[in-house]
PDB file of all heavy atoms in Angstrom:
ATOM      1  N   LEU A  26     -32.930   5.405 -11.239  1.00 41.00           N
ATOM      2  CA  LEU A  26     -33.060   6.607 -12.051  1.00 41.00           C
ATOM      3  C   LEU A  26     -34.103   6.448 -13.149  1.00 41.00           C
ATOM      4  O   LEU A  26     -34.268   7.319 -13.984  1.00 41.00           O
ATOM      5  CB  LEU A  26     -31.704   6.959 -12.680  1.00 41.00           C
ATOM      6  CG  LEU A  26     -30.623   7.372 -11.685  1.00 41.00           C
ATOM      7  CD1 LEU A  26     -29.308   7.612 -12.421  1.00 41.00           C
ATOM      8  CD2 LEU A  26     -31.020   8.614 -10.920  1.00 41.00           C
ATOM      9  N   SER A  27     -34.813   5.320 -13.167  1.00 39.00           N
ATOM     10  CA  SER A  27     -35.835   5.118 -14.182  1.00 39.00           C
ATOM     11  C   SER A  27     -37.079   5.908 -13.844  1.00 39.00           C
ATOM     12  O   SER A  27     -37.311   6.291 -12.709  1.00 39.00           O
ATOM     13  CB  SER A  27     -36.176   3.624 -14.287  1.00 39.00           C
ATOM     14  OG  SER A  27     -36.702   3.154 -13.059  1.00 39.00           O
ATOM     15  N   ALA A  28     -37.899   6.160 -14.833  1.00 37.00           N
ATOM     16  CA  ALA A  28     -39.112   6.942 -14.626  1.00 37.00           C
ATOM     17  C   ALA A  28     -40.087   6.187 -13.741  1.00 37.00           C
ATOM     18  O   ALA A  28     -40.207   4.966 -13.838  1.00 37.00           O
ATOM     19  CB  ALA A  28     -39.764   7.246 -15.971  1.00 37.00           C
ATOM     20  N   PRO A  29     -40.820   6.897 -12.876  1.00 40.00           N
ATOM     21  CA  PRO A  29     -41.786   6.243 -12.007  1.00 40.00           C
ATOM     22  C   PRO A  29     -43.026   5.821 -12.776  1.00 40.00           C
ATOM     23  O   PRO A  29     -43.307   6.319 -13.857  1.00 40.00           O
ATOM     24  CB  PRO A  29     -42.127   7.349 -10.990  1.00 40.00           C
ATOM     25  CG  PRO A  29     -41.924   8.605 -11.749  1.00 40.00           C
ATOM     26  CD  PRO A  29     -40.767   8.344 -12.665  1.00 40.00           C
ATOM     27  N   GLU A  30     -43.771   4.901 -12.179  1.00 40.00           N
ATOM     28  CA  GLU A  30     -45.022   4.481 -12.778  1.00 40.00           C
ATOM     29  C   GLU A  30     -46.039   5.612 -12.678  1.00 40.00           C
ATOM     30  O   GLU A  30     -46.113   6.305 -11.678  1.00 40.00           O
ATOM     31  CB  GLU A  30     -45.566   3.241 -12.052  1.00 40.00           C
ATOM     32  CG  GLU A  30     -44.732   1.988 -12.275  1.00 40.00           C
ATOM     33  CD  GLU A  30     -44.744   1.558 -13.725  1.00 40.00           C
ATOM     34  OE1 GLU A  30     -45.791   1.696 -14.395  1.00 40.00           O
ATOM     35  OE2 GLU A  30     -43.707   1.083 -14.206  1.00 40.00           O
ATOM     36  N   PRO A  31     -46.845   5.831 -13.708  1.00 41.00           N
ATOM     37  CA  PRO A  31     -47.846   6.888 -13.644  1.00 41.00           C
ATOM     38  C   PRO A  31     -48.924   6.565 -12.639  1.00 41.00           C
ATOM     39  O   PRO A  31     -49.142   5.409 -12.285  1.00 41.00           O
ATOM     40  CB  PRO A  31     -48.400   6.920 -15.073  1.00 41.00           C
ATOM     41  CG  PRO A  31     -48.155   5.551 -15.611  1.00 41.00           C
ATOM     42  CD  PRO A  31     -46.870   5.100 -14.998  1.00 41.00           C
ATOM     43  N   GLY A  32     -49.637   7.597 -12.163  1.00 48.00           N
ATOM     44  CA  GLY A  32     -50.708   7.399 -11.210  1.00 48.00           C
ATOM     45  C   GLY A  32     -51.905   6.711 -11.844  1.00 48.00           C
ATOM     46  O   GLY A  32     -51.969   6.510 -13.056  1.00 48.00           O
ATOM     47  N   THR A  33     -52.843   6.317 -11.041  1.00 52.00           N
ATOM     48  CA  THR A  33     -53.989   5.566 -11.533  1.00 52.00           C
ATOM     49  C   THR A  33     -55.242   6.417 -11.653  1.00 52.00           C
ATOM     50  O   THR A  33     -56.291   5.911 -12.020  1.00 52.00           O
ATOM     51  CB  THR A  33     -54.263   4.376 -10.612  1.00 52.00           C
ATOM     52  OG1 THR A  33     -54.461   4.858  -9.280  1.00 52.00           O
ATOM     53  CG2 THR A  33     -53.114   3.386 -10.625  1.00 52.00           C
ATOM     54  N   ALA A  34     -55.181   7.702 -11.310  1.00 59.00           N
ATOM     55  CA  ALA A  34     -56.349   8.562 -11.456  1.00 59.00           C
ATOM     56  C   ALA A  34     -56.688   8.740 -12.936  1.00 59.00           C
ATOM     57  O   ALA A  34     -55.811   8.763 -13.788  1.00 59.00           O
ATOM     58  CB  ALA A  34     -56.095   9.915 -10.813  1.00 59.00           C
ATOM     59  N   GLU A  35     -57.981   8.858 -13.238  1.00 73.00           N
ATOM     60  CA  GLU A  35     -58.420   8.965 -14.630  1.00 73.00           C
ATOM     61  C   GLU A  35     -58.859  10.369 -15.008  1.00 73.00           C
ATOM     62  O   GLU A  35     -59.019  10.666 -16.195  1.00 73.00           O
ATOM     63  CB  GLU A  35     -59.561   7.979 -14.894  1.00 73.00           C
ATOM     64  CG  GLU A  35     -59.157   6.515 -14.729  1.00 73.00           C
ATOM     65  CD  GLU A  35     -60.304   5.578 -15.047  1.00 73.00           C
ATOM     66  OE1 GLU A  35     -61.402   6.071 -15.372  1.00 73.00           O
ATOM     67  OE2 GLU A  35     -60.099   4.355 -14.967  1.00 73.00           O
ATOM     68  N   HIS A  36     -59.077  11.242 -14.021  1.00 77.00           N
ATOM     69  CA  HIS A  36     -59.583  12.585 -14.309  1.00 77.00           C
ATOM     70  C   HIS A  36     -58.664  13.626 -13.676  1.00 77.00           C
ATOM     71  O   HIS A  36     -58.334  13.533 -12.496  1.00 77.00           O
ATOM     72  CB  HIS A  36     -61.006  12.740 -13.781  1.00 77.00           C
ATOM     73  CG  HIS A  36     -61.946  11.700 -14.303  1.00 77.00           C
ATOM     74  ND1 HIS A  36     -62.564  11.804 -15.523  1.00 77.00           N
ATOM     75  CD2 HIS A  36     -62.351  10.515 -13.778  1.00 77.00           C
ATOM     76  CE1 HIS A  36     -63.324  10.744 -15.732  1.00 77.00           C
ATOM     77  NE2 HIS A  36     -63.203   9.953 -14.684  1.00 77.00           N
ATOM     78  N   PHE A  37     -58.269  14.625 -14.472  1.00 79.00           N
ATOM     79  CA  PHE A  37     -57.350  15.661 -14.006  1.00 79.00           C
ATOM     80  C   PHE A  37     -57.845  17.033 -14.465  1.00 79.00           C
ATOM     81  O   PHE A  37     -58.371  17.161 -15.572  1.00 79.00           O
ATOM     82  CB  PHE A  37     -55.937  15.444 -14.562  1.00 79.00           C
ATOM     83  CG  PHE A  37     -55.299  14.162 -14.131  1.00 79.00           C
ATOM     84  CD1 PHE A  37     -55.562  12.977 -14.791  1.00 79.00           C
ATOM     85  CD2 PHE A  37     -54.423  14.145 -13.055  1.00 79.00           C
ATOM     86  CE1 PHE A  37     -54.971  11.786 -14.387  1.00 79.00           C
ATOM     87  CE2 PHE A  37     -53.827  12.963 -12.644  1.00 79.00           C
ATOM     88  CZ  PHE A  37     -54.104  11.782 -13.308  1.00 79.00           C
ATOM     89  N   CYS A  38     -57.658  18.037 -13.612  1.00 79.00           N
ATOM     90  CA  CYS A  38     -57.945  19.414 -14.016  1.00 79.00           C
ATOM     91  C   CYS A  38     -56.967  19.801 -15.120  1.00 79.00           C
ATOM     92  O   CYS A  38     -55.765  19.543 -15.017  1.00 79.00           O
ATOM     93  CB  CYS A  38     -57.802  20.359 -12.821  1.00 79.00           C
ATOM     94  SG  CYS A  38     -57.947  22.114 -13.259  1.00 79.00           S
ATOM     95  N   THR A  39     -57.491  20.427 -16.171  1.00 79.00           N
ATOM     96  CA  THR A  39     -56.638  20.784 -17.305  1.00 79.00           C
ATOM     97  C   THR A  39     -55.682  21.927 -16.993  1.00 79.00           C
ATOM     98  O   THR A  39     -54.727  22.159 -17.745  1.00 79.00           O
ATOM     99  CB  THR A  39     -57.498  21.176 -18.524  1.00 79.00           C
ATOM    100  OG1 THR A  39     -58.396  22.230 -18.136  1.00 79.00           O
ATOM    101  CG2 THR A  39     -58.309  19.992 -19.019  1.00 79.00           C
ATOM    102  N   LEU A  40     -55.908  22.659 -15.902  1.00 76.00           N
ATOM    103  CA  LEU A  40     -55.026  23.764 -15.542  1.00 76.00           C
ATOM    104  C   LEU A  40     -54.033  23.374 -14.446  1.00 76.00           C
ATOM    105  O   LEU A  40     -52.824  23.524 -14.613  1.00 76.00           O
ATOM    106  CB  LEU A  40     -55.840  24.984 -15.098  1.00 76.00           C
ATOM    107  CG  LEU A  40     -56.702  25.647 -16.179  1.00 76.00           C
ATOM    108  CD1 LEU A  40     -57.394  26.878 -15.615  1.00 76.00           C
ATOM    109  CD2 LEU A  40     -55.860  26.021 -17.392  1.00 76.00           C
ATOM    110  N   CYS A  41     -54.529  22.896 -13.297  1.00 76.00           N
ATOM    111  CA  CYS A  41     -53.630  22.612 -12.173  1.00 76.00           C
ATOM    112  C   CYS A  41     -53.216  21.150 -12.092  1.00 76.00           C
ATOM    113  O   CYS A  41     -52.387  20.776 -11.262  1.00 76.00           O
ATOM    114  CB  CYS A  41     -54.273  23.042 -10.852  1.00 76.00           C
ATOM    115  SG  CYS A  41     -55.706  22.039 -10.369  1.00 76.00           S
ATOM    116  N   ASN A  42     -53.811  20.302 -12.938  1.00 74.00           N
ATOM    117  CA  ASN A  42     -53.439  18.889 -13.011  1.00 74.00           C
ATOM    118  C   ASN A  42     -53.811  18.110 -11.748  1.00 74.00           C
ATOM    119  O   ASN A  42     -53.275  17.041 -11.495  1.00 74.00           O
ATOM    120  CB  ASN A  42     -51.950  18.730 -13.301  1.00 74.00           C
ATOM    121  CG  ASN A  42     -51.638  17.424 -14.009  1.00 74.00           C
ATOM    122  OD1 ASN A  42     -52.444  16.937 -14.798  1.00 74.00           O
ATOM    123  ND2 ASN A  42     -50.472  16.859 -13.739  1.00 74.00           N
ATOM    124  N   THR A  43     -54.722  18.622 -10.933  1.00 73.00           N
ATOM    125  CA  THR A  43     -55.178  17.895  -9.755  1.00 73.00           C
ATOM    126  C   THR A  43     -55.946  16.643 -10.180  1.00 73.00           C
ATOM    127  O   THR A  43     -56.832  16.724 -11.033  1.00 73.00           O
ATOM    128  CB  THR A  43     -56.096  18.777  -8.891  1.00 73.00           C
ATOM    129  OG1 THR A  43     -55.338  19.870  -8.390  1.00 73.00           O
ATOM    130  CG2 THR A  43     -56.686  18.005  -7.716  1.00 73.00           C
ATOM    131  N   PRO A  44     -55.643  15.483  -9.584  1.00 73.00           N
ATOM    132  CA  PRO A  44     -56.370  14.260  -9.933  1.00 73.00           C
ATOM    133  C   PRO A  44     -57.702  14.165  -9.184  1.00 73.00           C
ATOM    134  O   PRO A  44     -57.812  14.581  -8.038  1.00 73.00           O
ATOM    135  CB  PRO A  44     -55.408  13.153  -9.483  1.00 73.00           C
ATOM    136  CG  PRO A  44     -54.646  13.753  -8.358  1.00 73.00           C
ATOM    137  CD  PRO A  44     -54.518  15.220  -8.665  1.00 73.00           C
ATOM    138  N   PHE A  45     -58.703  13.626  -9.843  1.00 75.00           N
ATOM    139  CA  PHE A  45     -60.015  13.425  -9.234  1.00 75.00           C
ATOM    140  C   PHE A  45     -60.488  11.999  -9.498  1.00 75.00           C
ATOM    141  O   PHE A  45     -60.190  11.419 -10.542  1.00 75.00           O
ATOM    142  CB  PHE A  45     -61.034  14.415  -9.787  1.00 75.00           C
ATOM    143  CG  PHE A  45     -60.791  15.841  -9.375  1.00 75.00           C
ATOM    144  CD1 PHE A  45     -60.027  16.688 -10.161  1.00 75.00           C
ATOM    145  CD2 PHE A  45     -61.299  16.332  -8.182  1.00 75.00           C
ATOM    146  CE1 PHE A  45     -59.791  17.996  -9.780  1.00 75.00           C
ATOM    147  CE2 PHE A  45     -61.066  17.636  -7.789  1.00 75.00           C
ATOM    148  CZ  PHE A  45     -60.315  18.472  -8.579  1.00 75.00           C
ATOM    149  N   ALA A  46     -61.240  11.463  -8.548  1.00 73.00           N
ATOM    150  CA  ALA A  46     -61.746  10.106  -8.681  1.00 73.00           C
ATOM    151  C   ALA A  46     -62.826  10.017  -9.754  1.00 73.00           C
ATOM    152  O   ALA A  46     -63.045   8.958 -10.333  1.00 73.00           O
ATOM    153  CB  ALA A  46     -62.296   9.621  -7.339  1.00 73.00           C
ATOM    154  N   ASN A  47     -63.523  11.126 -10.016  1.00 79.00           N
ATOM    155  CA  ASN A  47     -64.498  11.168 -11.103  1.00 79.00           C
ATOM    156  C   ASN A  47     -64.502  12.573 -11.690  1.00 79.00           C
ATOM    157  O   ASN A  47     -63.838  13.471 -11.183  1.00 79.00           O
ATOM    158  CB  ASN A  47     -65.898  10.764 -10.611  1.00 79.00           C
ATOM    159  CG  ASN A  47     -66.369  11.651  -9.470  1.00 79.00           C
ATOM    160  OD1 ASN A  47     -66.566  12.847  -9.658  1.00 79.00           O
ATOM    161  ND2 ASN A  47     -66.546  11.069  -8.291  1.00 79.00           N
ATOM    162  N   ARG A  48     -65.268  12.768 -12.769  1.00 82.00           N
ATOM    163  CA  ARG A  48     -65.195  14.021 -13.514  1.00 82.00           C
ATOM    164  C   ARG A  48     -66.143  15.095 -12.994  1.00 82.00           C
ATOM    165  O   ARG A  48     -66.125  16.235 -13.480  1.00 82.00           O
ATOM    166  CB  ARG A  48     -65.503  13.766 -14.991  1.00 82.00           C
ATOM    167  CG  ARG A  48     -66.944  13.353 -15.282  1.00 82.00           C
ATOM    168  CD  ARG A  48     -67.229  13.387 -16.779  1.00 82.00           C
ATOM    169  NE  ARG A  48     -66.923  14.678 -17.345  1.00 82.00           N
ATOM    170  CZ  ARG A  48     -67.735  15.728 -17.285  1.00 82.00           C
ATOM    171  NH1 ARG A  48     -68.902  15.633 -16.666  1.00 82.00           N
ATOM    172  NH2 ARG A  48     -67.379  16.881 -17.840  1.00 82.00           N
ATOM    173  N   PHE A  49     -66.973  14.811 -12.013  1.00 82.00           N
ATOM    174  CA  PHE A  49     -68.016  15.753 -11.610  1.00 82.00           C
ATOM    175  C   PHE A  49     -67.492  17.089 -11.061  1.00 82.00           C
ATOM    176  O   PHE A  49     -68.159  18.113 -11.220  1.00 82.00           O
ATOM    177  CB  PHE A  49     -68.970  15.091 -10.618  1.00 82.00           C
ATOM    178  CG  PHE A  49     -69.713  13.925 -11.217  1.00 82.00           C
ATOM    179  CD1 PHE A  49     -69.415  12.631 -10.837  1.00 82.00           C
ATOM    180  CD2 PHE A  49     -70.672  14.130 -12.194  1.00 82.00           C
ATOM    181  CE1 PHE A  49     -70.079  11.558 -11.402  1.00 82.00           C
ATOM    182  CE2 PHE A  49     -71.335  13.059 -12.770  1.00 82.00           C
ATOM    183  CZ  PHE A  49     -71.045  11.765 -12.380  1.00 82.00           C
ATOM    184  N   PRO A  50     -66.312  17.163 -10.411  1.00 80.00           N
ATOM    185  CA  PRO A  50     -65.815  18.482  -9.971  1.00 80.00           C
ATOM    186  C   PRO A  50     -65.327  19.355 -11.115  1.00 80.00           C
ATOM    187  O   PRO A  50     -65.049  20.541 -10.919  1.00 80.00           O
ATOM    188  CB  PRO A  50     -64.654  18.123  -9.028  1.00 80.00           C
ATOM    189  CG  PRO A  50     -64.887  16.704  -8.649  1.00 80.00           C
ATOM    190  CD  PRO A  50     -65.503  16.080  -9.848  1.00 80.00           C
ATOM    191  N   LEU A  51     -65.229  18.806 -12.329  1.00 89.00           N
ATOM    192  CA  LEU A  51     -64.678  19.524 -13.473  1.00 89.00           C
ATOM    193  C   LEU A  51     -65.789  20.068 -14.355  1.00 89.00           C
ATOM    194  O   LEU A  51     -66.826  19.422 -14.547  1.00 89.00           O
ATOM    195  CB  LEU A  51     -63.781  18.596 -14.292  1.00 89.00           C
ATOM    196  CG  LEU A  51     -62.684  17.852 -13.515  1.00 89.00           C
ATOM    197  CD1 LEU A  51     -61.964  16.874 -14.438  1.00 89.00           C
ATOM    198  CD2 LEU A  51     -61.713  18.828 -12.895  1.00 89.00           C
ATOM    199  N   ASP A  52     -65.574  21.284 -14.904  1.00 87.00           N
ATOM    200  CA  ASP A  52     -66.577  21.840 -15.807  1.00 87.00           C
ATOM    201  C   ASP A  52     -66.391  21.272 -17.211  1.00 87.00           C
ATOM    202  O   ASP A  52     -65.604  20.346 -17.428  1.00 87.00           O
ATOM    203  CB  ASP A  52     -66.524  23.372 -15.799  1.00 87.00           C
ATOM    204  CG  ASP A  52     -65.223  23.929 -16.381  1.00 87.00           C
ATOM    205  OD1 ASP A  52     -64.432  23.168 -16.970  1.00 87.00           O
ATOM    206  OD2 ASP A  52     -65.006  25.157 -16.240  1.00 87.00           O
ATOM    207  N   GLU A  53     -67.127  21.827 -18.173  1.00 87.00           N
ATOM    208  CA  GLU A  53     -67.081  21.279 -19.533  1.00 87.00           C
ATOM    209  C   GLU A  53     -65.718  21.434 -20.179  1.00 87.00           C
ATOM    210  O   GLU A  53     -65.395  20.766 -21.164  1.00 87.00           O
ATOM    211  CB  GLU A  53     -68.151  21.950 -20.408  1.00 87.00           C
ATOM    212  CG  GLU A  53     -67.951  23.446 -20.654  1.00 87.00           C
ATOM    213  CD  GLU A  53     -68.562  24.306 -19.557  1.00 87.00           C
ATOM    214  OE1 GLU A  53     -68.842  23.771 -18.469  1.00 87.00           O
ATOM    215  OE2 GLU A  53     -68.773  25.508 -19.805  1.00 87.00           O
ATOM    216  N   HIS A  54     -64.869  22.328 -19.629  1.00 85.00           N
ATOM    217  CA  HIS A  54     -63.520  22.506 -20.148  1.00 85.00           C
ATOM    218  C   HIS A  54     -62.485  21.712 -19.344  1.00 85.00           C
ATOM    219  O   HIS A  54     -61.275  21.837 -19.578  1.00 85.00           O
ATOM    220  CB  HIS A  54     -63.141  23.989 -20.127  1.00 85.00           C
ATOM    221  CG  HIS A  54     -64.096  24.855 -20.895  1.00 85.00           C
ATOM    222  ND1 HIS A  54     -64.222  24.790 -22.264  1.00 85.00           N
ATOM    223  CD2 HIS A  54     -64.975  25.799 -20.467  1.00 85.00           C
ATOM    224  CE1 HIS A  54     -65.139  25.665 -22.659  1.00 85.00           C
ATOM    225  NE2 HIS A  54     -65.607  26.281 -21.593  1.00 85.00           N
ATOM    226  N   GLY A  55     -62.956  20.937 -18.371  1.00 85.00           N
ATOM    227  CA  GLY A  55     -62.052  20.132 -17.556  1.00 85.00           C
ATOM    228  C   GLY A  55     -61.345  20.922 -16.477  1.00 85.00           C
ATOM    229  O   GLY A  55     -60.282  20.510 -16.008  1.00 85.00           O
ATOM    230  N   VAL A  56     -61.917  22.064 -16.051  1.00 84.00           N
ATOM    231  CA  VAL A  56     -61.295  22.929 -15.055  1.00 84.00           C
ATOM    232  C   VAL A  56     -61.979  22.730 -13.700  1.00 84.00           C
ATOM    233  O   VAL A  56     -63.214  22.717 -13.617  1.00 84.00           O
ATOM    234  CB  VAL A  56     -61.383  24.410 -15.475  1.00 84.00           C
ATOM    235  CG1 VAL A  56     -60.747  25.320 -14.436  1.00 84.00           C
ATOM    236  CG2 VAL A  56     -60.695  24.600 -16.823  1.00 84.00           C
ATOM    237  N   CYS A  57     -61.182  22.595 -12.635  1.00 79.00           N
ATOM    238  CA  CYS A  57     -61.740  22.365 -11.299  1.00 79.00           C
ATOM    239  C   CYS A  57     -62.247  23.659 -10.674  1.00 79.00           C
ATOM    240  O   CYS A  57     -61.957  24.761 -11.160  1.00 79.00           O
ATOM    241  CB  CYS A  57     -60.703  21.705 -10.383  1.00 79.00           C
ATOM    242  SG  CYS A  57     -59.374  22.808  -9.838  1.00 79.00           S
ATOM    243  N   ALA A  58     -62.989  23.529  -9.577  1.00 77.00           N
ATOM    244  CA  ALA A  58     -63.602  24.689  -8.927  1.00 77.00           C
ATOM    245  C   ALA A  58     -62.558  25.669  -8.398  1.00 77.00           C
ATOM    246  O   ALA A  58     -62.750  26.895  -8.462  1.00 77.00           O
ATOM    247  CB  ALA A  58     -64.511  24.230  -7.794  1.00 77.00           C
ATOM    248  N   ALA A  59     -61.454  25.155  -7.848  1.00 73.00           N
ATOM    249  CA  ALA A  59     -60.421  26.037  -7.304  1.00 73.00           C
ATOM    250  C   ALA A  59     -59.815  26.920  -8.392  1.00 73.00           C
ATOM    251  O   ALA A  59     -59.572  28.110  -8.185  1.00 73.00           O
ATOM    252  CB  ALA A  59     -59.326  25.225  -6.622  1.00 73.00           C
TER     253      ALA A  59
END
Side-chain angles (χ1 to χ4, degrees):
L26 294 177
S27 62
E30 291 296 324
T33 57
E35 297 182 359
H36 305 277
F37 298 83
C38 173
T39 55
L40 294 183
C41 68
N42 207 33
T43 295
F45 291 92
N47 57 65
R48 68 169 305 279
F49 297 109
L51 308 175
D52 66 10
E53 65 273 17
H54 303 292
V56 180
C57 73

